[in-house]
């Protein structure tokens, strides 16, 4: 199928790290997000990447700016733990029109399969205008696991990833129709919401 038949989408990707933003070490969050989304989506995607420090006002302002620039999906990585400088959830909730608690609950369920410290994660998801904003974990491996879910050795889904629900959520808030590659992440929609091909 020609890619031009898929709705174009603009996605904001935000890596939040004091040290990476000042060049102390290389940021791995933005490449991990862009790589996974490129593999998962059939839509033509324009990425709006941002690398910023752990400052609540700066994070909130960045999220608002990306929404205003037409990003229907904004994914953040970093700053969701209990450390004093971890303020991404607070900054995200500050710009919310609606909270979407199921995303954070499912991310913790997935991560708890690997590490008991997943209960320390405070990721949240919110809707602002026609945009879905989701806080993801900081590690590239954990980003992929939470988005994609867990599969067994034969590729059978054991635990659904959060991205399976993202396209329908964006439908409901008036965004573009996102389509995924099933082998990466099969999007779920009620039959009545599936667009005829």
């Amino acid at each position: 199928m020609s890619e031009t038949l898929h709705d174009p989408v603009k996605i904001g990707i935000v890596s939040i790290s004091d040290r990476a933003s000042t060049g102390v070490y290389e940021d791995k969050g933005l490449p991990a997000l862009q790589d996974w989304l490129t593999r998962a989506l059939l839509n033509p995607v324009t990425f709006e990447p941002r690398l910023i420090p752990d400052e609540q006002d700066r994070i909130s302002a960045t999220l608002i700016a990306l929404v205003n620039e037409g990003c229907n999906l904004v994914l953040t990585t970093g700053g969701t733990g209990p450390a004093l400088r971890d303020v991404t959830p607070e900054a995200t909730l500050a710009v919310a029109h609606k909270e979407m608690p199921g995303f954070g609950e499912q991310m913790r369920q997935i991560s708890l399969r690997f590490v008991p410290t997943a209960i320390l994660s405070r990721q949240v998801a919110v809707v602002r205008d026609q945009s879905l904003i989701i806080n993801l974990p900081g590690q590239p491996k954990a980003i992929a696991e939470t988005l994609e879910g867990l599969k067994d050795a034969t590729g059978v889904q054991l635990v659904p990833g959060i991205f399976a629900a993202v396209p329908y959520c964006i439908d409901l808030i008036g965004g573009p129709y996102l389509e995924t590659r099933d082998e990466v992440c099969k999007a779920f929609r009620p039959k009545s919401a599936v667009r005829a091909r």
Side-chain angles (χ1 to χ4, degrees), residues 5 14 18 34 44 72 93 103 116 150 170:
L5 297 178
V14 185
D18 285 334
Q34 188 162 335
N72 296 105
L93 291 169
F103 285 101
L150 307 180
I170 290 177

Side-chain angles (χ1 to χ4, degrees), residues 150-182:
L150 307 180
K151 296 172 183 165
D152 69 14
T154 65
V156 173
Q157 192 93 46
L158 300 173
V159 182
I162 62 161
F163 205 84
V166 167
Y168 185 52
C169 182
I170 290 177
D171 292 351
L172 293 172
I173 61 176
Y177 189 86
L178 297 187
E179 297 182 76
T180 58
R181 290 184 176 87
D182 288 355

Side-chain angles (χ1 to χ4, degrees), residues 8 45 61 67 105 123 160:
V45 180
V67 170
E105 292 163 7
Q123 291 104 325

Side-chain angles (χ1 to χ4, degrees), residues 122-140:
R122 303 184 305 117
Q123 291 104 325
V124 300
V126 304
V127 170
R128 180 181 176 85
D129 296 334
Q130 291 180 298
S131 300
L132 174 62
I133 303 169
I134 306 173
N135 301 156
L136 294 169
Q139 297 301 317

